[in-house]
Amino acid sequence: MTLRQAQGQAHPSKLTLDRLALGLADAETQAHAKSCAQCSAHLEKLAVLTGGPDFVHPSRLQLDRLALGSPDAATASHAASCAQCGAHLKAVQVDLPVPQWVRDVGTSRPAAWLRWLRPMVAVGAMALVAFAVVGYRPASGPDITAKGLGTPQVQVWVNHAGKATLWSGAALVPDDAFRFEVRPGPYRHLTILELQGDRLYRVLHSAPVPSDGLSPAWAVDADGAQEDVMLLLSNAPLSDDELRRALAGEGSLWSTRWRFQKELR
Amino acid sequence: MGESTVEAVYRRFFPVIREKCRSMLRDSDEAQDVAQETFIRLWKSGLDLEDPRRVSAWVYRTATHLSVDRIRRRAIGTEVTGVDADVEGVGTDARIHNRQLLERLASKIPQDELEVAILDRVDGLTQPESAEVLGISERTVRRMLTRLDARLAALKAEVHP
Ligand SMILES: [Zn+2]
Ligand SMILES: [Zn+2]
């Protein structure tokens, strides 16, 4: 009998609980035990027997950190008595033979292999940076085109070597990060696209405009000569059709396009 | 520890990177490809490799980002054919299910939300951990997950009216 059929009347079997305590993933039993004094007491007893303070598995990040040498006695003792977590620990601690490409990476000069890297914008790279909002100036700089109705304003903050300033239009270097500050006017929804060769490459962000007007931040990679980003304001999330029309320069959405030139060192 | 030749760094970190990529990408060549790229970036990053907390957060962020990039590129142009369940739950089966669902819907979900979704629903990270990995606040993580669920519900309604 499963819990679903029992409609919460029956407890899971002792065997089912024991298996859960030993690390067999079982969302239903876990959910039941969380709200059932009798079953959670049984699990707690088992957890004491198996040495773990908790019958819930540690996250894989905790396991990986343990494997990489971060001391964590609770996770270690859980993994010692849990087949599933033990197997993960073993998998991330195997001794791999070193393949040739690794030796090539070690000996080749950085500039040569930087070119292998594909386009990348890393989300969140500078979300922890505090931004002082200084006197507001309308967005300006080279290669910006705005179209559409209304009076929204957008400016770009650039974080270079840990220091955030308004973008001057200067070329960015790899690891610089940028984010938009938006005064949305009458609009409520912000969509940010990455373009390549005038075509949509991907939707970087689509969400209501936050109250502080700040978008996520993206870090610049070392690939290609520029980052080409389009920012769209609307009243609701955009349909595929609206996106297509905006990219074709049609429709009445408010948009700006930003091209950040890159300078590779 | 303490050895910093590329071989030593590989032996120490690559298995973690590889397993992380395998959990996100079902194609093993693709997983290996992304794992290599993540490793090369790590080697080049100048990160203090004696700090497992920072290195692991960096690896999770970078590998997730690169994988989502792959998944999205593959998904562009494919039709959404079925949204059969919510992206929730714990346990191995739920995680595989979640990964498959996110893969199918990748073209409909923005990059930043997909990254949070992978960490939360496929890797099973706690919200504080996801926030740490992505360098955003816990509140932002929660907000993005709420948005993701709303998006999934809308897609579901679209596919099964
Ligand atoms: Zn019970
Ligand atoms: Zn476990």
Side-chain angles (χ1 to χ4, degrees), chain B residues 92-111:
Chain B
T92 312
D93 288 349
R95 284 173 194 179
I96 291 171
H97 167 83
N98 289 350
R99 189 197 66 204
Q100 290 167 345
L101 180 60
L102 289 172
E103 237 170 59
R104 267 185 293 140
L105 301 179
S107 66
K108 306 282 177 188
I109 305 173
Q111 178 101 13

Side-chain angles (χ1 to χ4, degrees), chain A residues 20-24 54-58 63 75 78-79 81-86:
Chain A
L20 178 67
L22 289 172
L24 199 79
D54 198 343
F55 59 85
V56 178
H57 299 288
L63 290 167
T75 302
H78 170 96
S81 60
C82 169
Q84 187 181 320
C85 293

Side-chain angles (χ1 to χ4, degrees), chain A residues 64 118 120-121 202 205, chain B residues 37 41 56 60 65 69 112:
Chain A
D64 286 352
R118 293 179 183 82
M120 148 141 179
V121 256
R202 61 185 160 177
H205 179 77
Chain B
E37 194 168 334
R41 285 176 189 227
S56 54
Y60 269 59
H65 179 80
D69 213 17
D112 50 0

Side-chain angles (χ1 to χ4, degrees), chain A residues 25 59-61 64-65 68 95 99 101-102 105 113 118 120-121 124 127 202-203 205-207 240, chain B residues 10-12 23 36-37 40-41 44 53 56 60 65 69 72 91 108 111-112 129 132 134-135 147 151:
Chain A
S59 77
R60 69 175 292 148
L61 181 61
D64 286 352
R65 285 178 162 169
L68 293 176
D95 197 11
W101 66 264
V102 175
V105 169
W113 58 263
R118 293 179 183 82
M120 148 141 179
V121 256
R202 61 185 160 177
V203 179
H205 179 77
S206 168
D240 286 355
Chain B
Y10 175 84
R11 275 198 212 93
R12 181 158 172 222
S23 79
Q36 282 192 24
E37 194 168 334
I40 290 167
R41 285 176 189 227
K44 182 67 188 33
R53 290 191 67 84
S56 54
Y60 269 59
H65 179 80
D69 213 17
R72 287 179 52 82
K108 306 282 177 188
Q111 178 101 13
D112 50 0
E129 284 174 338
E132 183 196 342
L134 295 172
R147 217 148 55 205
R151 221 183 282 280

